[in-house]
Amino acid sequence: MDLASRVLDGDRRAVARLMSKAENEAPGVKKILAELHNHIGNAHIIGITGPPGSGKSTLVDKLTLEYRKQGKTVGIIAVDPTSPFTGGALLGDRIRMNEIALDKEVFIRSMGTRGHLGGLAKKTGDLVKILDAFGKDIILVETVGAGQSEVEIVGTAYSTVIVEVPGLGDDIQAIKAGILEIGDIFVVNKSDLDGADETARELDAMLDMNSNNLDWRPPILQTRAKDGNGISQVADALNDHMVHMKETGILYKLVRARTKDELEEIISENIRSYIDGTHGEEELEELVDRIMDGELDPYNAAEIFLKPFTG
Ligand SMILES: Nc1nc2c(ncn2[C@@H]2O[C@H](COP(=O)(O)OP(=O)(O)O)[C@@H](O)[C@H]2O)c(=O)[nH]1
Ligand SMILES: [Mg+2]
């Protein structure tokens, strides 16, 4: 059986192999992803982001247990660009060799980034796609929140959870900068610490000022992820958000817009590899000669080069 069929058949080792291929952009991987395309679109893709140490991994862990209780299957992708190697230390400080790591209905993958952020969002998107085709009901993507790349990574998700902790204080400006726009659900984790109510109120006030919230007012939930407290409310809110997205047609629009982006990206990639390929290289050299001979200008030369695409 080929790799795509094995993934669709529920073979976990095939999933791991295909993910490695996708991460390494191995030759032939596009063809396999193309075969999987008709089998995606069923998962609820959830992005979980927030500052380091806010409890994202703990939340992912506890949310997974909650979803498993509901009979749903779960895929997890952890992206941590701040960590130079991810190895096995996937879920935070100590790998939680608990129920979820042993559960055959849960698939966990950490993405090694080795300092290279380029293409990370696309690769994350490919891994999400593989888990979706694999049949996972829920896909959780954990990423450290700070900059643009993280915003792009959660751009793969349908619902985005922003995890904060009590005592925002100085962070408030940073939060204003980009997070309010992308958060569908706000979680104030570590509500056992002082100041959780105040942080929730501050977030609430900031959301009031944000005009993006005409369709969906992001709820602010307090959790104690470590003890599993407040987790089912987060799962409920995520479910409400997905229902809202479906009923209003927002999900369709979102998926369509992303499909367009993806298509554009694949087209430019293909043109790029055409240019870099042997045929393109020969033709380029020929055209450069003609420009040097004063026979052609670069503008017309480019048009000649692009003839196979423009017809
Ligand atoms: N006090 C408290 N600590 C928590 C809570 N949730 C997680 N932690 C701790 O916070 C630390 C960082 O958690 P982790 O999930 O690795 O955070 P991440 O970096 O955002 O993924 C760990 O030591 C957790 O045990 C909580 O609700 N209360
Ligand atoms: Mg973590």
Side-chain angles (χ1 to χ4, degrees), residues 51-58 92-93 142 189-190 192 224-226:
S54 54
K56 298 178 296 297
S57 297
T58 314
D93 11 322
E142 177 192 334
N189 187 41
K190 308 199 184 182
D192 49 307
R224 240 164 49 212
K226 208 172 55 173

Side-chain angles (χ1 to χ4, degrees), residues 59-76:
L59 190 72
V60 163
D61 189 40
K62 292 292 158 54
L63 266 177
T64 301
L65 291 175
E66 172 66 25
Y67 284 124
R68 294 297 298 127
K69 249 197 280 170
Q70 297 177 11
K72 293 174 177 160
T73 60
V74 181
I76 301 170

